[in-house]
Amino acid sequence: MSLPAALQLALTEARHIAVLTGAGMSAESGVPTFRDVRDGLWAKYDPMTLATEEAFAEEPDLVWAWYLRRAQLIRSVQPNAGHRALAELGTFKKVDVITQNVDDLHERAGSRVLSHVHGGLFDYRCFDCARPWQHDPEIPDEIPERVSPPRCRACGGWIRPGIVWFGEVLPRRAFEDAVEACSTCDIMLVVGTSGIVQPAGSLPFAALERGTPVIEVNPEESRLSDYVTHWWQGTAAEILPRVVTIARGQVD
Ligand code: BV8
Ligand code: ZN
């Protein structure tokens, strides 16, 4: 399936590209998405219930162990061809990467990330006094079901991952920068997101309402597919290298 000629031209001529990525961006690196069929790691834990302040307040050792497992997984995988393609795109176009993902795979591929709208798994802070905790937590090879989080040196509170849980507000600056990028870019890519989680899922409309073309890259239909300019059916690692070819003005 190829991109319509008019959108190919828009991509080649674009000077500023905004890219919103979701869990599907990291799927080909081996990181399960939230809506994947759950394997062992996810089968027992529904992110919707565990990724909340309440869950951490009630069972800090269960939630902390779950995030240790995710950190261990992310440390063990590599960026995929999709991450690398976006990094390459950023070497000859102004590319603003806005990610819902809490992993660091965009950075490890060489992209400059404008916004982690749901925070980052590896920046930790105190649950009580919010002081940053600048260490790398111990990650045992075999992570038990429950692991007590480290304690804050200043107040003794539990250390938590620096990510945005359900019910928590998004980092203001990150979200404002993301809206600005989507409102001013020449073209927007939306890669690997179901568009379910808000307010991140509304970002493509900041582009669409200005008549800016929005191309969605996803192997399946999402909540956004009916609204975007074009749904390019395919995976991040398949399609994004082709985006780079077209952006260079070469034949796809
Ligand atoms: C807020 C960090 C309010 C955690 C995440 C009803 C009840 C309760 C809350 C709400 C509600 N209705 C709306 C809400 C708000 C809620 C929300 O949106 N809920 C949803 C579920 C309805 N949002 C919030 O709570 C947000 N905060 O609203 O605060 C507020 C306001 C004022 C004052 C106080 C409070 C906070 C949301 C952030 C939650 N944190 N992550 C963690 O990671 O543990 S969200 C988390 O889930 C991810 O970050 C990501 O954003 C989201 C998963 O979405 P996707 O990335 O799209 O992934 P998904 O699996 O869904 O889809 C993958 C896609 O990839 C699929 O389309 C698939 O086809 C595609 N794909 C698969 N393989 C590939 C691929 N694509 C390309 N290539 C491939 N190879
Ligand atoms: Zn503290």
Side-chain angles (χ1 to χ4, degrees):
M1 187 176 169
S2 65
L3 193 63
L7 286 174
Q8 295 205 31
L9 186 62
L11 206 43
T12 307
E13 291 180 345
R15 285 183 310 285
H16 177 196
I17 304 173
V19 189
L20 173 66
T21 67
M25 182 76 229
S26 301
E28 284 153 296
S29 294
V31 181
T33 71
F34 284 74
R35 279 153 194 79
D36 261 348
V37 175
R38 301 285 186 262
D39 64 28
L41 173 75
W42 303 83
K44 284 187 282 188
Y45 305 126
D46 171 10
M48 288 303 296
T49 48
L50 271 194
T52 63
E53 245 182 307
E54 296 71 28
F56 186 75
E58 255 165 60
E59 311 230 45
D61 49 0
L62 188 69
V63 176
W64 180 255
W66 180 52
Y67 280 102
L68 281 185
R69 262 193 290 283
R70 291 180 59 195
Q72 185 182 56
L73 174 71
I74 287 160
R75 283 276 175 267
S76 69
V77 300
Q78 295 303 321
N80 62 57
H83 293 106
R84 292 195 297 275
L86 288 183
E88 184 186 342
L89 189 64
T91 63
F92 64 96
K93 297 266 187 191
K94 175 178 164 44
V95 174
D96 281 328
V97 175
I98 300 152
T99 188
Q100 300 174 82
N101 300 338
V102 296
D103 63 50
D104 58 354
L105 293 174
H106 280 301
E107 289 88 345
R108 284 165 56 196
S111 280
R112 175 189 58 79
V113 172
L114 174 74
S115 299
H116 272 276
V117 290
H118 293 156
L121 186 53
F122 300 107
D123 49 357
Y124 299 96
R125 66 171 188 269
C126 174
F127 185 65
D128 291 342
C129 73
R131 261 188 187 73
W133 186 74
Q134 253 108 8
H135 306 276
D136 251 349
E138 230 138 284
I139 304 186
D141 291 347
E142 286 299 310
I143 302 174
E145 174 110 23
R146 293 170 179 277
V147 178
S148 290
R151 290 274 187 185
C152 167
R153 290 238 174 84
C155 78
W158 294 120
I159 296 304
R160 60 163 286 177
I163 57 183
V164 181
W165 279 327
F166 288 101
E168 291 190 313
V169 288
L170 276 57
R172 173 191 299 280
R173 181 66 198 274
F175 194 69
E176 284 172 354
D177 289 351
V179 172
E180 175 66 14
C182 297
S183 309
T184 55
C185 64
D186 301 317
I187 195 164
M188 181 173 180
L189 303 175
V190 179
V191 185
T193 184
S194 59
I196 291 173
V197 174
Q198 295 302 337
S202 61
L203 287 169
F205 297 97
L208 288 167
E209 62 199 25
R210 277 168 187 72
T212 303
V214 176
I215 300 169
E216 179 184 26
V217 175
N218 198 322
E220 289 162 36
E221 204 155 15
S222 76
R223 290 263 175 101
L224 299 166
S225 305
D226 287 344
Y227 303 96
V228 297
T229 316
H230 183 75
W231 167 33
W232 196 351
Q233 190 169 12
T235 72
E238 289 161 2
I239 300 281
L240 292 176
R242 294 173 60 186
V243 164
V244 174
T245 305
I246 294 167
R248 286 190 186 285
Q250 293 156 2
V251 177
D252 172 33

